[in-house]
Amino acid sequence: MSFNTTKFCEEETYDDALAICSVYGMLQSEIAEKGDYTVKGIGVGVDTFFLIFSGTMVFMMQAGFAMLCAGSVRQKNVKNIMLKNLLDACGGALGFYAIGYGFAYGGDDLKEKTFIGNSYFGLRDFDAYAEFFFQFAFAATAATIVAGTVAERCKMAAYLCYSIFLTGFVYPVVVHAIWSSNGFLSAFYAHGEPFRGVGTIDFAGSGVVHMTGGATALIAAIILGPRKGRFYDDYGNPLEEPAHFPGHSTSLQILGTFILWVGWYGFNPGSALKIANEDSAQTAALCLVTTTMGAASGCVSAMFTDSIIDAMKTGETSYDLTMAMNGALAGLVAVTAGCSVITPWAAIIIGTIGGWIYIGASALLVKLRIDDAVDAIPVHFANGLWGVLAVGFFANGGLMKIAGYNEEHEGLFYEWAGDDADGDLMVAQLASIGFILGWVT
């Protein structure tokens, strides 16, 4: 039985009822006067709060990176690495405000595909501040990936210049190509058909953020060379076995990992950008689940695979906390691109493979004598690449439609099942990988 508000207000006489009915009458008058404006305003407010809250969670990941990096280096270098993480946020904010956002999203009024944006510099003629803040948090995340890799061997002034340059120019060009409405690889190209009819699907940035930051870290590690005593002795002769420099605080490492994991709940669901409509809400909720499954499966696969390998070599079984932590982060990075278009079971597969990729890439770096103090390259670069590629296999057409993509070109596994495989989505994913590698290097 429905509640009759009009009858209630006519019959009740006690003070609380009169107060409620007075407010109800005011609201009815407001709605009658302004139509659906009031309802629309509430939706805009909810969407804005959602973006602000998600951006804040993403920015909180800076604390996670700082704690993880600080715990992973020797105690004498803690202040240095903490300052670099702080400079990432500060330099990133200034660089992204001055030119970065303009290069990333400027020129959306042009009805053609462009390589780089050309407006909104210094936020001129721009007032969508929540959107800027959210995108800045992503830019700062891309920049801080490098901090751990080059720990203990990079000058402060050079690092600040790098941070500003990455967030002000290198990263924004990648963003423009894949996320803006004018990008040549964008799935949301607004003035015609996107690349291969579907564009690149990188929902929250496995490629745009993590692969870009990871590729930068790889280049920096090669240029700077290894830490003293890591692969070579004091005379420059190669060591038979690489020296191991254990971090000084396991507690900081695990707390940093958990903070990053929680921050990812702003990173991935927040990339829906809105929440006050059914499709966006469903997409954001799916992202929560796929993000969780990716992290959990990556952690388990990396730790137990490492334990099995160690048992085969030594005959003894041990469980490495570092493998568990980085495996979880690897799984998170791997599902970031497709978190809105993959099912939870697919997220488990992607995260599991992500853990294995982390182990293999970490071992490869050591073999190549490339020194990565926190294994950021295997986590972010290798699994960022895998995450973009995984979308080409596992993207579900129904979920793509809900998330706003063209569902006619879904992942290869679904296309093969339907005997109608054109491979356009996979081509678009490979094109974005090639572009990021070519641009960053």
Side-chain angles (χ1 to χ4, degrees):
M1 186 172 68
S2 61
F3 179 74
N4 191 324
T5 308
T6 303
K7 184 178 180 181
F8 171 80
C9 290
E10 290 176 351
E11 294 179 353
E12 297 296 338
T13 58
Y14 59 91
D15 292 344
D16 290 344
L18 292 174
I20 293 172
C21 290
S22 176
V23 173
Y24 174 75
M26 292 172 61
L27 288 174
Q28 289 293 96
S29 298
E30 185 80 3
I31 293 173
E33 180 182 347
K34 298 183 178 179
D36 66 348
Y37 175 80
T38 303
V39 177
K40 180 180 178 182
I42 293 173
V44 171
V46 170
D47 286 338
T48 301
F49 176 77
F50 174 68
L51 207 56
I52 292 172
F53 181 76
S54 298
T56 302
M57 290 187 70
V58 175
F59 187 71
M60 187 64 186
M61 293 172 73
Q62 295 291 322
F65 278 116
M67 294 177 73
L68 178 61
C69 291
S72 300
V73 301
R74 289 169 288 184
Q75 190 168 9
K76 64 179 182 178
N77 295 301
V78 170
K79 286 186 178 180
N80 180 275
I81 194 66
M82 286 290 196
L83 182 56
K84 286 177 181 174
N85 277 272
L86 181 59
L87 289 177
D88 274 325
C90 298
L94 295 173
F96 201 64
Y97 165 80
I99 58 176
Y101 190 85
F103 284 149
Y105 291 102
D108 53 4
D109 56 329
L110 299 175
K111 295 182 179 181
E112 59 183 1
K113 294 181 180 180
T114 54
F115 178 74
I116 195 170
N118 62 358
S119 61
Y120 302 149
F121 300 116
L123 300 188
R124 184 178 179 181
D125 300 323
F126 181 84
D127 60 3
Y129 299 121
E131 180 181 333
F132 166 79
F133 172 70
F134 184 75
Q135 296 299 336
F136 146 69
F138 272 57
T141 300
T144 203
I145 289 170
V146 182
T149 295
V150 301
E152 305 185 343
R153 60 194 191 279
C154 183
K155 291 185 177 180
M156 198 62 62
Y159 189 82
L160 178 60
C161 291
Y162 138 79
S163 183
I164 295 174
F165 186 69
L166 181 72
T167 56
F169 184 61
V170 177
Y171 169 77
V173 171
V174 178
V175 171
H176 188 83
I178 297 174
W179 282 349
S180 80
S181 60
N182 294 82
F184 70 97
L185 293 173
S186 176
F188 301 106
Y189 179 59
H191 310 294
E193 186 174 283
F195 180 70
R196 304 294 293 190
V198 63
T200 296
I201 296 179
D202 188 3
F203 185 74
S206 287
V208 174
V209 178
H210 297 282
M211 189 178 166
T212 298
T216 306
L218 176 60
I219 294 168
I222 293 173
I223 292 174
L224 288 174
R227 289 168 288 178
K228 291 183 178 179
R230 177 74 167 105
F231 296 119
Y232 303 93
D233 61 22
D234 293 339
Y235 301 99
N237 300 313
L239 299 173
E240 292 185 7
E241 291 291 334
H244 180 58
F245 298 157
H248 85 283
S249 174
T250 302
S251 298
L252 283 177
Q253 288 177 298
I254 191 65
L255 286 173
T257 300
F258 270 121
I259 290 174
L260 287 172
W261 188 336
V262 172
W264 239 285
Y265 291 133
F267 205 96
N268 288 358
S271 292
L273 303 181
K274 297 181 179 182
I275 197 71
N277 64 79
E278 185 177 354
D279 286 348
S280 294
Q282 185 174 344
T283 296
L286 173 65
C287 290
L288 285 170
V289 178
T290 53
T291 299
T292 303
M293 295 301 101
S297 56
C299 172
V300 171
S301 72
M303 185 184 73
F304 283 104
T305 300
D306 178 72
S307 296
I308 293 170
I309 294 173
D310 189 53
M312 293 173 64
K313 289 181 177 179
T314 65
E316 298 181 359
T317 302
S318 61
Y319 302 101
D320 191 335
L321 179 60
T322 300
M323 281 290 170
M325 293 186 298
N326 285 336
L329 296 177
L332 286 165
V333 172
V335 299
T336 293
C339 57
S340 65
V341 297
I342 59 174
T343 56
W345 64 261
I348 293 174
I349 295 174
I350 293 170
T352 299
I353 296 174
W356 296 335
I357 288 175
Y358 162 69
I359 294 174
S362 180
L364 179 61
L365 285 183
V366 174
K367 188 173 182 178
L368 296 175
R369 297 183 183 276
I370 298 174
D371 186 13
D372 184 349
V374 298
D375 264 352
I377 297 169
V379 169
H380 296 279
F381 175 67
N383 274 285
L385 191 155
W386 160 236
V388 175
L389 197 63
V391 175
F393 289 109
F394 293 99
N396 177 283
L399 298 176
M400 290 170 63
K401 182 178 181 180
I402 294 172
Y405 297 105
N406 182 0
E407 74 277 12
E408 294 180 3
H409 305 281
E410 52 188 348
L412 286 178
F413 290 152
Y414 290 94
E415 289 189 332
W416 288 335
D419 297 324
D420 186 25
D422 54 31
D424 284 332
L425 177 58
M426 180 60 78
V427 172
Q429 300 303 106
L430 290 171
S432 67
I433 291 172
F435 172 71
I436 293 172
L437 288 174
W439 173 248
V440 174
T441 56

